[in-house]
Amino acid sequence: MASVTGPEIERLIQLLARLPGLGPRSARRAALHLIKRREQLLAPLAEAMRVANETVRVCSSCGNVDTSDPCTICRDPRRDESILVVVEDVSDLWALERAGVVNARYHVLGGVLSALDGVGPSDLNLDRLLARVTDSPVKEVILALNATVDGQTTAHYVTDLLAPTGVAVSRLAHGVPVGGELDYLDEGTLAAALRSRTRG
Amino acid sequence: MASVTGPEIERLIQLLARLPGLGPRSARRAALHLIKRREQLLAPLAEAMRVANETVRVCSSCGNVDTSDPCTICRDPRRDESILVVVEDVSDLWALERAGVVNARYHVLGGVLSALDGVGPSDLNLDRLLARVTDSPVKEVILALNATVDGQTTAHYVTDLLAPTGVAVSRLAHGVPVGGELDYLDEGTLAAALRSRTRG
Ligand SMILES: [Zn+2]
Ligand SMILES: [Zn+2]
């Protein structure tokens, strides 16, 4: 393609192809879509990216990304500051916010411990977590980590790390997903759901 | 989400969601991916979009998009200017160029005739096609249009339109796609493939 179109368009396609969910072919389609909608989409998106690049900050308190530091959530006085919800990634924070199930503060670890990927405790936002729990009125830490081996290893580690502070540490319950069919669930989930059964 | 993150990030997500291939959920993932890679991806992509917006032109000869007018293909002296390949959209031109099967010029109609979508002849780049065939050394027009009802209706229309000029008009052959399994092909394709069978 290099010979049939200007380098400016090639560069746009190459960068778009680095977005998750867009491969080389869909990146070309996206580039063409943008080029055909210069006024309505290409120019506004270029500007939105420029603005985001200049304004986005990582919250120095919780690790969330926002255009202010502390972030909107950390500044929200209506949120229960006695509860910290620990997540692996900002995307998990966003998922919980979309679900509207948390009215507390968060703490973003920025990953999970992983022997395979060489991620150790010093790679995670743990010092700051310990400081927040120690210095503030936090009474409970909810570990909202993925139910993967690495997620659960990290949950163990954080539980041990926070033990000296005396804070209550809890985890998300295992069980049958809402709308989930038993047929499709693994044994571990079924066993956990049975163990944690609630009275009807 | 409006209350938990700055409007700048929301705007970025909303615009990204308008790209083909990205829904609301993958747009959020893409936004987060960009925000986490500000130096390596967000800033370069914002700049590439700004540059594309300022430099991209529609070729006044063929309807291709490029950063020069006439486009790279129309200016290429090595291409056979006696053949015009007519396509519906720039994406088809790109597909043919990727395949490397055309060494001629193109003409982009910018759509196909469609009673359903209210697309008539005046909505397509047809006047310019007729002028190019009339004024230039074009000897053959290859209609590389989709094998859909609208594509074939348009092919008929263009054939009739060009008849008075005496130019040779041809179409892409129907047949079994390379690597295609007969099992999965419709009757029309199988009939066409049989009709146009070649001697082994
Ligand atoms: Zn924060
Ligand atoms: Zn051109």
Side-chain angles (χ1 to χ4, degrees):
Chain A
M1 288 285 291
S3 61
V4 302
T5 188
E8 296 86 350
I9 297 177
E10 278 305 311
R11 172 132 178 94
L12 178 60
I13 294 170
Q14 277 165 20
L15 288 167
L16 283 171
R18 289 169 55 192
L19 288 179
L22 291 184
R25 181 171 291 232
S26 46
R28 275 192 296 267
R29 208 178 308 128
L32 203 51
H33 186 89
L34 286 165
I35 287 169
K36 288 181 180 172
R37 291 160 187 81
R38 285 165 63 181
E39 294 286 318
Q40 314 98 293
L41 191 53
L42 178 55
L45 188 52
E47 177 63 9
M49 286 187 179
R50 190 192 63 76
V51 169
N53 185 44
E54 289 188 359
T55 58
V56 168
R57 305 277 171 271
V58 172
C59 176
S60 54
S61 177
C62 75
N64 187 17
V65 290
D66 201 339
T67 45
S68 60
D69 179 14
C71 72
T72 312
I73 293 173
C74 283
R75 280 183 296 119
D76 185 349
R78 291 161 306 182
R79 287 182 180 250
D80 185 347
E81 57 180 350
S82 73
I83 300 178
L84 270 193
V85 180
V86 174
V87 292
E88 173 177 343
D89 194 90
V90 175
S91 57
D92 301 318
L93 185 162
W94 287 9
L96 288 164
E97 283 300 306
R98 278 201 304 284
V101 291
V102 170
N103 189 34
R105 302 275 164 83
Y106 291 91
H107 192 83
V108 181
L109 292 181
V112 283
L113 298 175
S114 168
L116 209 64
D117 298 332
V119 180
S122 62
D123 299 311
L124 305 182
N125 191 11
L126 288 170
D127 290 349
R128 179 85 201 119
L129 173 62
L130 191 56
R132 286 182 82 187
V133 170
T134 307
D135 302 343
S136 70
V138 174
K139 294 204 183 83
E140 182 181 3
V141 169
I142 302 175
L143 302 176
L145 299 170
N146 292 326
T148 56
V149 171
D150 286 346
Q152 296 309 299
T153 302
T154 308
H156 276 292
Y157 187 91
V158 174
T159 303
D160 290 348
L161 178 75
L162 298 179
T165 68
V167 72
V169 179
S170 61
R171 301 192 193 187
L172 296 185
H174 287 302
V176 180
V178 176
E181 297 179 49
L182 297 194
D183 257 16
Y184 292 91
L185 293 175
D186 64 295
E187 288 172 24
T189 302
L190 288 173
L194 204 61
R195 220 164 33 232
S196 310
R197 66 192 176 279
T198 54
R199 289 184 180 277
Chain B
M1 288 288 291
S3 62
V4 302
T5 188
E8 296 86 350
I9 296 177
E10 278 306 311
R11 172 131 179 94
L12 178 60
I13 294 171
Q14 277 164 21
L15 289 167
L16 284 170
R18 289 169 55 191
L19 288 179
L22 291 185
R25 181 172 292 232
S26 45
R28 274 192 297 268
R29 209 178 309 128
L32 203 52
H33 187 88
L34 285 165
I35 287 170
K36 286 181 181 173
R37 291 159 187 82
R38 285 164 63 180
E39 293 286 318
Q40 315 99 292
L41 190 54
L42 179 54
L45 188 52
E47 178 63 7
M49 286 188 178
R50 190 192 64 75
V51 170
N53 185 44
E54 288 188 1
T55 57
V56 168
R57 306 276 171 268
V58 173
C59 176
S60 54
S61 176
C62 75
N64 186 17
V65 291
D66 202 338
T67 45
S68 60
D69 179 16
C71 72
T72 313
I73 293 173
C74 284
R75 281 184 296 117
D76 185 349
R78 290 161 306 182
R79 286 181 182 252
D80 185 346
E81 56 181 352
S82 73
I83 300 178
L84 271 192
V85 180
V86 174
V87 292
E88 172 177 343
D89 194 272
V90 175
S91 58
D92 302 319
L93 186 162
W94 287 9
L96 287 164
E97 285 298 307
R98 278 200 304 283
V101 290
V102 170
N103 189 32
R105 301 275 163 83
Y106 291 91
H107 193 82
V108 181
L109 293 182
V112 283
L113 299 174
S114 168
L116 209 65
D117 297 334
V119 180
S122 62
D123 299 311
L124 305 182
N125 191 11
L126 288 169
D127 291 350
R128 180 85 201 119
L129 173 63
L130 191 56
R132 287 181 80 186
V133 171
T134 307
D135 303 343
S136 70
V138 174
K139 295 205 182 81
E140 181 180 4
V141 170
I142 302 174
L143 303 176
L145 299 169
N146 292 328
T148 57
V149 171
D150 286 345
Q152 296 309 298
T153 302
T154 307
H156 276 293
Y157 187 92
V158 174
T159 304
D160 291 349
L161 179 75
L162 298 180
T165 68
V167 74
V169 178
S170 60
R171 300 191 193 188
L172 296 185
H174 287 302
V176 180
V178 176
E181 296 179 50
L182 297 193
D183 257 16
Y184 292 92
L185 293 175
D186 65 294
E187 289 170 24
T189 302
L190 289 174
L194 205 59
R195 221 164 30 232
S196 310
R197 64 192 177 279
T198 54
R199 290 185 179 277

